[in-house]
PDB file of all heavy atoms in Angstrom:
ATOM      1  N   VAL K 780      23.180  -9.280  49.998  1.00  0.00           N
ATOM      2  CA  VAL K 780      23.025  -9.783  48.634  1.00  0.00           C
ATOM      3  C   VAL K 780      24.243  -9.325  47.835  1.00  0.00           C
ATOM      4  O   VAL K 780      24.624  -8.159  47.869  1.00  0.00           O
ATOM      5  CB  VAL K 780      21.719  -9.274  47.979  1.00  0.00           C
ATOM      6  CG1 VAL K 780      21.665  -9.651  46.515  1.00  0.00           C
ATOM      7  CG2 VAL K 780      20.503  -9.826  48.739  1.00  0.00           C
ATOM      8  N   GLY K 781      24.899 -10.264  47.152  1.00  0.00           N
ATOM      9  CA  GLY K 781      26.105  -9.932  46.402  1.00  0.00           C
ATOM     10  C   GLY K 781      27.321  -9.811  47.267  1.00  0.00           C
ATOM     11  O   GLY K 781      28.370  -9.371  46.815  1.00  0.00           O
ATOM     12  N   GLY K 782      27.208 -10.210  48.538  1.00  0.00           N
ATOM     13  CA  GLY K 782      28.306 -10.047  49.482  1.00  0.00           C
ATOM     14  C   GLY K 782      29.439 -11.031  49.310  1.00  0.00           C
ATOM     15  O   GLY K 782      29.359 -11.956  48.499  1.00  0.00           O
ATOM     16  N   HIS K 783      30.515 -10.807  50.033  1.00  0.00           N
ATOM     17  CA  HIS K 783      31.697 -11.672  49.973  1.00  0.00           C
ATOM     18  C   HIS K 783      31.998 -12.173  51.373  1.00  0.00           C
ATOM     19  O   HIS K 783      31.970 -11.415  52.323  1.00  0.00           O
ATOM     20  CB  HIS K 783      32.916 -10.891  49.444  1.00  0.00           C
ATOM     21  CG  HIS K 783      32.726 -10.394  48.065  1.00  0.00           C
ATOM     22  ND1 HIS K 783      33.271 -11.047  46.986  1.00  0.00           N
ATOM     23  CD2 HIS K 783      32.039  -9.368  47.558  1.00  0.00           C
ATOM     24  CE1 HIS K 783      32.950 -10.429  45.854  1.00  0.00           C
ATOM     25  NE2 HIS K 783      32.212  -9.375  46.208  1.00  0.00           N
ATOM     26  N   ILE K 784      32.307 -13.466  51.473  1.00  0.00           N
ATOM     27  CA  ILE K 784      32.736 -14.069  52.712  1.00  0.00           C
ATOM     28  C   ILE K 784      34.170 -14.516  52.525  1.00  0.00           C
ATOM     29  O   ILE K 784      34.487 -15.221  51.554  1.00  0.00           O
ATOM     30  CB  ILE K 784      31.877 -15.268  53.106  1.00  0.00           C
ATOM     31  CG1 ILE K 784      30.412 -14.809  53.329  1.00  0.00           C
ATOM     32  CG2 ILE K 784      32.414 -15.976  54.332  1.00  0.00           C
ATOM     33  CD1 ILE K 784      29.428 -15.927  53.521  1.00  0.00           C
ATOM     34  N   CYS K 785      35.087 -14.092  53.423  1.00  0.00           N
ATOM     35  CA  CYS K 785      36.484 -14.487  53.330  1.00  0.00           C
ATOM     36  C   CYS K 785      36.764 -15.516  54.431  1.00  0.00           C
ATOM     37  O   CYS K 785      36.679 -15.204  55.621  1.00  0.00           O
ATOM     38  CB  CYS K 785      37.367 -13.281  53.500  1.00  0.00           C
ATOM     39  SG  CYS K 785      37.171 -12.061  52.189  1.00  0.00           S
ATOM     40  N   GLN K 786      37.081 -16.733  54.042  1.00  0.00           N
ATOM     41  CA  GLN K 786      37.453 -17.795  54.963  1.00  0.00           C
ATOM     42  C   GLN K 786      38.956 -17.681  55.176  1.00  0.00           C
ATOM     43  O   GLN K 786      39.735 -17.909  54.267  1.00  0.00           O
ATOM     44  CB  GLN K 786      37.071 -19.169  54.427  1.00  0.00           C
ATOM     45  CG  GLN K 786      37.614 -20.308  55.209  1.00  0.00           C
ATOM     46  CD  GLN K 786      37.150 -20.350  56.660  1.00  0.00           C
ATOM     47  OE1 GLN K 786      36.034 -19.964  56.964  1.00  0.00           O
ATOM     48  NE2 GLN K 786      38.005 -20.792  57.542  1.00  0.00           N
ATOM     49  N   ILE K 787      39.349 -17.349  56.392  1.00  0.00           N
ATOM     50  CA  ILE K 787      40.757 -17.111  56.693  1.00  0.00           C
ATOM     51  C   ILE K 787      41.304 -18.305  57.450  1.00  0.00           C
ATOM     52  O   ILE K 787      40.949 -18.552  58.607  1.00  0.00           O
ATOM     53  CB  ILE K 787      40.935 -15.831  57.522  1.00  0.00           C
ATOM     54  CG1 ILE K 787      40.340 -14.636  56.783  1.00  0.00           C
ATOM     55  CG2 ILE K 787      42.415 -15.606  57.840  1.00  0.00           C
ATOM     56  CD1 ILE K 787      40.277 -13.377  57.584  1.00  0.00           C
ATOM     57  N   GLY K 788      42.146 -19.100  56.793  1.00  0.00           N
ATOM     58  CA  GLY K 788      42.788 -20.242  57.428  1.00  0.00           C
ATOM     59  C   GLY K 788      41.822 -21.389  57.672  1.00  0.00           C
ATOM     60  O   GLY K 788      40.628 -21.323  57.374  1.00  0.00           O
ATOM     61  N   ALA K 789      42.367 -22.475  58.200  1.00  0.00           N
ATOM     62  CA  ALA K 789      41.577 -23.659  58.510  1.00  0.00           C
ATOM     63  C   ALA K 789      42.219 -24.305  59.736  1.00  0.00           C
ATOM     64  O   ALA K 789      43.297 -24.818  59.681  1.00  0.00           O
ATOM     65  CB  ALA K 789      41.588 -24.635  57.343  1.00  0.00           C
ATOM     66  N   LEU K 790      41.507 -24.239  60.836  1.00  0.00           N
ATOM     67  CA  LEU K 790      42.041 -24.782  62.089  1.00  0.00           C
ATOM     68  C   LEU K 790      41.602 -26.217  62.360  1.00  0.00           C
ATOM     69  O   LEU K 790      42.263 -26.929  63.051  1.00  0.00           O
ATOM     70  CB  LEU K 790      41.608 -23.895  63.278  1.00  0.00           C
ATOM     71  CG  LEU K 790      42.108 -22.459  63.252  1.00  0.00           C
ATOM     72  CD1 LEU K 790      41.547 -21.694  64.431  1.00  0.00           C
ATOM     73  CD2 LEU K 790      43.625 -22.443  63.268  1.00  0.00           C
ATOM     74  N   GLU K 791      40.449 -26.597  61.803  1.00  0.00           N
ATOM     75  CA  GLU K 791      39.908 -27.903  62.119  1.00  0.00           C
ATOM     76  C   GLU K 791      39.535 -28.692  60.858  1.00  0.00           C
ATOM     77  O   GLU K 791      38.438 -29.194  60.733  1.00  0.00           O
ATOM     78  CB  GLU K 791      38.677 -27.748  63.003  1.00  0.00           C
ATOM     79  CG  GLU K 791      39.008 -27.079  64.361  1.00  0.00           C
ATOM     80  CD  GLU K 791      37.768 -26.879  65.225  1.00  0.00           C
ATOM     81  OE1 GLU K 791      36.766 -27.556  64.972  1.00  0.00           O
ATOM     82  OE2 GLU K 791      37.850 -26.071  66.123  1.00  0.00           O
ATOM     83  N   GLY K 792      40.438 -28.750  59.896  1.00  0.00           N
ATOM     84  CA  GLY K 792      40.169 -29.493  58.698  1.00  0.00           C
ATOM     85  C   GLY K 792      39.684 -28.598  57.562  1.00  0.00           C
ATOM     86  O   GLY K 792      39.545 -27.395  57.715  1.00  0.00           O
ATOM     87  N   PHE K 793      39.399 -29.244  56.436  1.00  0.00           N
ATOM     88  CA  PHE K 793      39.060 -28.485  55.230  1.00  0.00           C
ATOM     89  C   PHE K 793      37.681 -28.756  54.696  1.00  0.00           C
ATOM     90  O   PHE K 793      37.319 -28.290  53.640  1.00  0.00           O
ATOM     91  CB  PHE K 793      40.121 -28.762  54.162  1.00  0.00           C
ATOM     92  CG  PHE K 793      41.478 -28.268  54.515  1.00  0.00           C
ATOM     93  CD1 PHE K 793      42.420 -29.135  55.049  1.00  0.00           C
ATOM     94  CD2 PHE K 793      41.821 -26.954  54.375  1.00  0.00           C
ATOM     95  CE1 PHE K 793      43.666 -28.699  55.425  1.00  0.00           C
ATOM     96  CE2 PHE K 793      43.095 -26.473  54.731  1.00  0.00           C
ATOM     97  CZ  PHE K 793      44.013 -27.354  55.258  1.00  0.00           C
ATOM     98  N   ASP K 794      36.860 -29.511  55.423  1.00  0.00           N
ATOM     99  CA  ASP K 794      35.483 -29.777  54.980  1.00  0.00           C
ATOM    100  C   ASP K 794      34.580 -28.643  55.419  1.00  0.00           C
ATOM    101  O   ASP K 794      34.664 -28.201  56.564  1.00  0.00           O
ATOM    102  CB  ASP K 794      34.979 -31.098  55.570  1.00  0.00           C
ATOM    103  CG  ASP K 794      35.734 -32.296  55.047  1.00  0.00           C
ATOM    104  OD1 ASP K 794      36.233 -32.246  53.889  1.00  0.00           O
ATOM    105  OD2 ASP K 794      35.886 -33.288  55.801  1.00  0.00           O
ATOM    106  N   ILE K 795      33.737 -28.180  54.502  1.00  0.00           N
ATOM    107  CA  ILE K 795      32.771 -27.132  54.827  1.00  0.00           C
ATOM    108  C   ILE K 795      31.385 -27.566  54.396  1.00  0.00           C
ATOM    109  O   ILE K 795      31.232 -28.391  53.492  1.00  0.00           O
ATOM    110  CB  ILE K 795      33.141 -25.789  54.166  1.00  0.00           C
ATOM    111  CG1 ILE K 795      33.104 -25.905  52.643  1.00  0.00           C
ATOM    112  CG2 ILE K 795      34.484 -25.307  54.643  1.00  0.00           C
ATOM    113  CD1 ILE K 795      33.200 -24.548  51.937  1.00  0.00           C
ATOM    114  N   SER K 796      30.377 -26.980  55.045  1.00  0.00           N
ATOM    115  CA  SER K 796      28.984 -27.197  54.623  1.00  0.00           C
ATOM    116  C   SER K 796      28.200 -25.970  55.009  1.00  0.00           C
ATOM    117  O   SER K 796      28.472 -25.295  56.011  1.00  0.00           O
ATOM    118  CB  SER K 796      28.442 -28.441  55.294  1.00  0.00           C
ATOM    119  OG  SER K 796      28.349 -28.288  56.671  1.00  0.00           O
ATOM    120  N   ALA K 797      27.212 -25.694  54.164  1.00  0.00           N
ATOM    121  CA  ALA K 797      26.283 -24.578  54.424  1.00  0.00           C
ATOM    122  C   ALA K 797      25.050 -24.841  53.592  1.00  0.00           C
ATOM    123  O   ALA K 797      25.119 -25.527  52.579  1.00  0.00           O
ATOM    124  CB  ALA K 797      26.940 -23.250  54.006  1.00  0.00           C
ATOM    125  N   PRO K 798      23.914 -24.292  54.030  1.00  0.00           N
ATOM    126  CA  PRO K 798      22.709 -24.448  53.225  1.00  0.00           C
ATOM    127  C   PRO K 798      22.887 -23.776  51.852  1.00  0.00           C
ATOM    128  O   PRO K 798      23.309 -22.633  51.775  1.00  0.00           O
ATOM    129  CB  PRO K 798      21.615 -23.764  54.063  1.00  0.00           C
ATOM    130  CG  PRO K 798      22.312 -23.088  55.193  1.00  0.00           C
ATOM    131  CD  PRO K 798      23.720 -23.545  55.232  1.00  0.00           C
ATOM    132  N   ALA K 799      22.595 -24.502  50.798  1.00  0.00           N
ATOM    133  CA  ALA K 799      22.830 -24.019  49.417  1.00  0.00           C
ATOM    134  C   ALA K 799      21.848 -22.912  49.001  1.00  0.00           C
ATOM    135  O   ALA K 799      22.245 -21.993  48.306  1.00  0.00           O
ATOM    136  CB  ALA K 799      22.764 -25.183  48.442  1.00  0.00           C
ATOM    137  N   MET K 800      20.609 -22.980  49.424  1.00  0.00           N
ATOM    138  CA  MET K 800      19.601 -22.039  48.928  1.00  0.00           C
ATOM    139  C   MET K 800      19.931 -20.598  49.267  1.00  0.00           C
ATOM    140  O   MET K 800      19.969 -19.743  48.381  1.00  0.00           O
ATOM    141  CB  MET K 800      18.204 -22.422  49.436  1.00  0.00           C
ATOM    142  CG  MET K 800      17.096 -21.644  48.749  1.00  0.00           C
ATOM    143  SD  MET K 800      17.093 -21.847  46.924  1.00  0.00           S
ATOM    144  CE  MET K 800      16.541 -23.520  46.805  1.00  0.00           C
ATOM    145  N   PRO K 801      20.246 -20.241  50.546  1.00  0.00           N
ATOM    146  CA  PRO K 801      20.569 -18.846  50.832  1.00  0.00           C
ATOM    147  C   PRO K 801      21.842 -18.396  50.115  1.00  0.00           C
ATOM    148  O   PRO K 801      21.962 -17.260  49.684  1.00  0.00           O
ATOM    149  CB  PRO K 801      20.775 -18.795  52.357  1.00  0.00           C
ATOM    150  CG  PRO K 801      20.250 -20.066  52.903  1.00  0.00           C
ATOM    151  CD  PRO K 801      20.157 -21.046  51.786  1.00  0.00           C
ATOM    152  N   LEU K 802      22.774 -19.335  49.942  1.00  0.00           N
ATOM    153  CA  LEU K 802      24.023 -19.045  49.250  1.00  0.00           C
ATOM    154  C   LEU K 802      23.744 -18.619  47.811  1.00  0.00           C
ATOM    155  O   LEU K 802      24.278 -17.636  47.303  1.00  0.00           O
ATOM    156  CB  LEU K 802      24.944 -20.253  49.310  1.00  0.00           C
ATOM    157  CG  LEU K 802      26.354 -20.106  48.841  1.00  0.00           C
ATOM    158  CD1 LEU K 802      27.125 -19.133  49.709  1.00  0.00           C
ATOM    159  CD2 LEU K 802      27.044 -21.467  48.848  1.00  0.00           C
ATOM    160  N   MET K 803      22.874 -19.359  47.141  1.00  0.00           N
ATOM    161  CA  MET K 803      22.543 -19.082  45.754  1.00  0.00           C
ATOM    162  C   MET K 803      21.620 -17.850  45.607  1.00  0.00           C
ATOM    163  O   MET K 803      21.827 -17.023  44.726  1.00  0.00           O
ATOM    164  CB  MET K 803      21.904 -20.302  45.094  1.00  0.00           C
ATOM    165  CG  MET K 803      22.878 -21.442  44.950  1.00  0.00           C
ATOM    166  SD  MET K 803      22.193 -22.863  44.080  1.00  0.00           S
ATOM    167  CE  MET K 803      20.852 -23.385  45.113  1.00  0.00           C
ATOM    168  N   LEU K 804      20.598 -17.762  46.467  1.00  0.00           N
ATOM    169  CA  LEU K 804      19.657 -16.641  46.354  1.00  0.00           C
ATOM    170  C   LEU K 804      20.336 -15.298  46.615  1.00  0.00           C
ATOM    171  O   LEU K 804      19.953 -14.303  46.012  1.00  0.00           O
ATOM    172  CB  LEU K 804      18.498 -16.835  47.327  1.00  0.00           C
ATOM    173  CG  LEU K 804      17.538 -17.940  47.012  1.00  0.00           C
ATOM    174  CD1 LEU K 804      16.490 -18.103  48.101  1.00  0.00           C
ATOM    175  CD2 LEU K 804      16.836 -17.683  45.652  1.00  0.00           C
ATOM    176  N   LYS K 805      21.324 -15.291  47.494  1.00  0.00           N
ATOM    177  CA  LYS K 805      22.003 -14.040  47.810  1.00  0.00           C
ATOM    178  C   LYS K 805      23.183 -13.776  46.898  1.00  0.00           C
ATOM    179  O   LYS K 805      23.787 -12.709  46.976  1.00  0.00           O
ATOM    180  CB  LYS K 805      22.492 -14.085  49.258  1.00  0.00           C
ATOM    181  CG  LYS K 805      21.401 -13.928  50.275  1.00  0.00           C
ATOM    182  CD  LYS K 805      21.995 -13.901  51.647  1.00  0.00           C
ATOM    183  CE  LYS K 805      21.163 -13.081  52.561  1.00  0.00           C
ATOM    184  NZ  LYS K 805      21.835 -12.901  53.865  1.00  0.00           N
ATOM    185  N   ASP K 806      23.555 -14.722  46.079  1.00  0.00           N
ATOM    186  CA  ASP K 806      24.708 -14.571  45.158  1.00  0.00           C
ATOM    187  C   ASP K 806      25.966 -14.160  45.931  1.00  0.00           C
ATOM    188  O   ASP K 806      26.657 -13.267  45.610  1.00  0.00           O
ATOM    189  CB  ASP K 806      24.386 -13.537  44.066  1.00  0.00           C
ATOM    190  CG  ASP K 806      25.431 -13.495  42.996  1.00  0.00           C
ATOM    191  OD1 ASP K 806      26.083 -14.520  42.756  1.00  0.00           O
ATOM    192  OD2 ASP K 806      25.599 -12.427  42.377  1.00  0.00           O
ATOM    193  N   VAL K 807      26.223 -14.958  46.981  1.00  0.00           N
ATOM    194  CA  VAL K 807      27.357 -14.728  47.870  1.00  0.00           C
ATOM    195  C   VAL K 807      28.602 -15.389  47.276  1.00  0.00           C
ATOM    196  O   VAL K 807      28.534 -16.491  46.742  1.00  0.00           O
ATOM    197  CB  VAL K 807      27.090 -15.253  49.278  1.00  0.00           C
ATOM    198  CG1 VAL K 807      28.328 -15.233  50.152  1.00  0.00           C
ATOM    199  CG2 VAL K 807      25.955 -14.503  49.935  1.00  0.00           C
ATOM    200  N   THR K 808      29.746 -14.704  47.349  1.00  0.00           N
ATOM    201  CA  THR K 808      31.008 -15.273  46.905  1.00  0.00           C
ATOM    202  C   THR K 808      31.868 -15.606  48.141  1.00  0.00           C
ATOM    203  O   THR K 808      31.979 -14.791  49.040  1.00  0.00           O
ATOM    204  CB  THR K 808      31.783 -14.254  46.037  1.00  0.00           C
ATOM    205  OG1 THR K 808      30.967 -13.910  44.927  1.00  0.00           O
ATOM    206  CG2 THR K 808      33.090 -14.823  45.529  1.00  0.00           C
ATOM    207  N   ILE K 809      32.418 -16.819  48.141  1.00  0.00           N
ATOM    208  CA  ILE K 809      33.287 -17.242  49.244  1.00  0.00           C
ATOM    209  C   ILE K 809      34.736 -17.249  48.732  1.00  0.00           C
ATOM    210  O   ILE K 809      35.027 -17.862  47.727  1.00  0.00           O
ATOM    211  CB  ILE K 809      32.910 -18.647  49.743  1.00  0.00           C
ATOM    212  CG1 ILE K 809      31.440 -18.614  50.229  1.00  0.00           C
ATOM    213  CG2 ILE K 809      33.853 -19.095  50.850  1.00  0.00           C
ATOM    214  CD1 ILE K 809      30.923 -19.986  50.604  1.00  0.00           C
ATOM    215  N   HIS K 810      35.618 -16.559  49.482  1.00  0.00           N
ATOM    216  CA  HIS K 810      37.034 -16.474  49.138  1.00  0.00           C
ATOM    217  C   HIS K 810      37.835 -17.205  50.208  1.00  0.00           C
ATOM    218  O   HIS K 810      37.624 -16.995  51.395  1.00  0.00           O
ATOM    219  CB  HIS K 810      37.512 -15.020  49.109  1.00  0.00           C
ATOM    220  CG  HIS K 810      36.767 -14.155  48.157  1.00  0.00           C
ATOM    221  ND1 HIS K 810      37.101 -14.057  46.844  1.00  0.00           N
ATOM    222  CD2 HIS K 810      35.700 -13.338  48.363  1.00  0.00           C
ATOM    223  CE1 HIS K 810      36.271 -13.219  46.247  1.00  0.00           C
ATOM    224  NE2 HIS K 810      35.413 -12.752  47.150  1.00  0.00           N
ATOM    225  N   GLY K 811      38.739 -18.050  49.803  1.00  0.00           N
ATOM    226  CA  GLY K 811      39.634 -18.697  50.732  1.00  0.00           C
ATOM    227  C   GLY K 811      40.946 -17.920  50.809  1.00  0.00           C
ATOM    228  O   GLY K 811      41.508 -17.495  49.819  1.00  0.00           O
ATOM    229  N   ILE K 812      41.404 -17.655  52.038  1.00  0.00           N
ATOM    230  CA  ILE K 812      42.642 -16.876  52.254  1.00  0.00           C
ATOM    231  C   ILE K 812      43.598 -17.747  53.069  1.00  0.00           C
ATOM    232  O   ILE K 812      43.337 -18.057  54.217  1.00  0.00           O
ATOM    233  CB  ILE K 812      42.323 -15.560  52.995  1.00  0.00           C
ATOM    234  CG1 ILE K 812      41.390 -14.716  52.141  1.00  0.00           C
ATOM    235  CG2 ILE K 812      43.650 -14.822  53.309  1.00  0.00           C
ATOM    236  CD1 ILE K 812      40.935 -13.448  52.846  1.00  0.00           C
ATOM    237  N   GLY K 813      44.714 -18.111  52.450  1.00  0.00           N
ATOM    238  CA  GLY K 813      45.740 -18.873  53.152  1.00  0.00           C
ATOM    239  C   GLY K 813      46.516 -18.008  54.101  1.00  0.00           C
ATOM    240  O   GLY K 813      46.672 -16.796  53.854  1.00  0.00           O
ATOM    241  N   THR K 814      46.992 -18.583  55.184  1.00  0.00           N
ATOM    242  CA  THR K 814      47.665 -17.779  56.182  1.00  0.00           C
ATOM    243  C   THR K 814      49.112 -18.152  56.427  1.00  0.00           C
ATOM    244  O   THR K 814      49.770 -17.563  57.252  1.00  0.00           O
ATOM    245  CB  THR K 814      46.910 -17.874  57.528  1.00  0.00           C
ATOM    246  OG1 THR K 814      46.820 -19.239  57.895  1.00  0.00           O
ATOM    247  CG2 THR K 814      45.531 -17.277  57.443  1.00  0.00           C
ATOM    248  N   GLY K 815      49.616 -19.112  55.687  1.00  0.00           N
ATOM    249  CA  GLY K 815      50.994 -19.511  55.891  1.00  0.00           C
ATOM    250  C   GLY K 815      51.139 -20.604  56.945  1.00  0.00           C
ATOM    251  O   GLY K 815      50.172 -21.049  57.525  1.00  0.00           O
ATOM    252  N   SER K 816      52.368 -20.988  57.182  1.00  0.00           N
ATOM    253  CA  SER K 816      52.639 -22.093  58.094  1.00  0.00           C
ATOM    254  C   SER K 816      52.750 -21.614  59.536  1.00  0.00           C
ATOM    255  O   SER K 816      52.965 -20.414  59.804  1.00  0.00           O
ATOM    256  CB  SER K 816      53.958 -22.775  57.697  1.00  0.00           C
ATOM    257  OG  SER K 816      55.048 -21.901  57.941  1.00  0.00           O
ATOM    258  N   ARG K 817      52.653 -22.545  60.452  1.00  0.00           N
ATOM    259  CA  ARG K 817      52.850 -22.220  61.859  1.00  0.00           C
ATOM    260  C   ARG K 817      54.274 -21.696  62.121  1.00  0.00           C
ATOM    261  O   ARG K 817      54.471 -20.767  62.880  1.00  0.00           O
ATOM    262  CB  ARG K 817      52.571 -23.460  62.715  1.00  0.00           C
ATOM    263  CG  ARG K 817      52.750 -23.212  64.195  1.00  0.00           C
ATOM    264  CD  ARG K 817      52.524 -24.461  65.030  1.00  0.00           C
ATOM    265  NE  ARG K 817      52.677 -24.177  66.401  1.00  0.00           N
ATOM    266  CZ  ARG K 817      51.687 -24.115  67.282  1.00  0.00           C
ATOM    267  NH1 ARG K 817      50.457 -24.357  66.886  1.00  0.00           N
ATOM    268  NH2 ARG K 817      51.923 -23.853  68.527  1.00  0.00           N
ATOM    269  N   ARG K 818      55.252 -22.311  61.442  1.00  0.00           N
ATOM    270  CA  ARG K 818      56.636 -21.892  61.630  1.00  0.00           C
ATOM    271  C   ARG K 818      56.813 -20.429  61.230  1.00  0.00           C
ATOM    272  O   ARG K 818      57.488 -19.633  61.902  1.00  0.00           O
ATOM    273  CB  ARG K 818      57.591 -22.783  60.814  1.00  0.00           C
ATOM    274  CG  ARG K 818      59.053 -22.362  60.995  1.00  0.00           C
ATOM    275  CD  ARG K 818      60.013 -23.196  60.186  1.00  0.00           C
ATOM    276  NE  ARG K 818      59.975 -24.542  60.732  1.00  0.00           N
ATOM    277  CZ  ARG K 818      60.354 -25.637  60.049  1.00  0.00           C
ATOM    278  NH1 ARG K 818      60.760 -25.510  58.812  1.00  0.00           N
ATOM    279  NH2 ARG K 818      60.350 -26.819  60.587  1.00  0.00           N
ATOM    280  N   ALA K 819      56.212 -20.039  60.087  1.00  0.00           N
ATOM    281  CA  ALA K 819      56.301 -18.654  59.645  1.00  0.00           C
ATOM    282  C   ALA K 819      55.669 -17.708  60.656  1.00  0.00           C
ATOM    283  O   ALA K 819      56.188 -16.628  60.931  1.00  0.00           O
ATOM    284  CB  ALA K 819      55.654 -18.483  58.259  1.00  0.00           C
ATOM    285  N   LEU K 820      54.514 -18.104  61.199  1.00  0.00           N
ATOM    286  CA  LEU K 820      53.867 -17.270  62.215  1.00  0.00           C
ATOM    287  C   LEU K 820      54.726 -17.139  63.472  1.00  0.00           C
ATOM    288  O   LEU K 820      54.891 -16.050  64.030  1.00  0.00           O
ATOM    289  CB  LEU K 820      52.513 -17.863  62.598  1.00  0.00           C
ATOM    290  CG  LEU K 820      51.765 -17.135  63.725  1.00  0.00           C
ATOM    291  CD1 LEU K 820      51.457 -15.705  63.336  1.00  0.00           C
ATOM    292  CD2 LEU K 820      50.457 -17.872  64.057  1.00  0.00           C
ATOM    293  N   GLU K 821      55.341 -18.216  63.899  1.00  0.00           N
ATOM    294  CA  GLU K 821      56.204 -18.170  65.063  1.00  0.00           C
ATOM    295  C   GLU K 821      57.406 -17.249  64.827  1.00  0.00           C
ATOM    296  O   GLU K 821      57.801 -16.484  65.718  1.00  0.00           O
ATOM    297  CB  GLU K 821      56.682 -19.585  65.447  1.00  0.00           C
ATOM    298  CG  GLU K 821      55.581 -20.435  66.014  1.00  0.00           C
ATOM    299  CD  GLU K 821      55.946 -21.901  66.175  1.00  0.00           C
ATOM    300  OE1 GLU K 821      56.999 -22.344  65.609  1.00  0.00           O
ATOM    301  OE2 GLU K 821      55.186 -22.622  66.840  1.00  0.00           O
TER     302      GLU K 821
END
């Protein structure tokens, strides 16, 4: 409850889905974290 979820990167597109009720009841925060380009990683 009150936790944080960090979404790191996107390998298969940018659409997300999750059940809304547990998300709201737990007051969870979702953070998106960009990881840079493939060229930078290489």
Side-chain angles (χ1 to χ4, degrees):
V780 172
H783 297 261
I784 298 172
C785 297
Q786 171 60 34
I787 303 171
L790 297 177
E791 298 179 19
F793 295 98
D794 295 329
I795 63 169
S796 65
M800 192 58 71
L802 189 64
M803 292 185 297
L804 289 175
K805 287 183 150 187
D806 190 27
V807 171
T808 302
I809 301 173
H810 303 275
I812 299 175
T814 57
S816 68
R817 179 182 182 108
R818 180 181 293 158
L820 176 60
E821 289 170 347

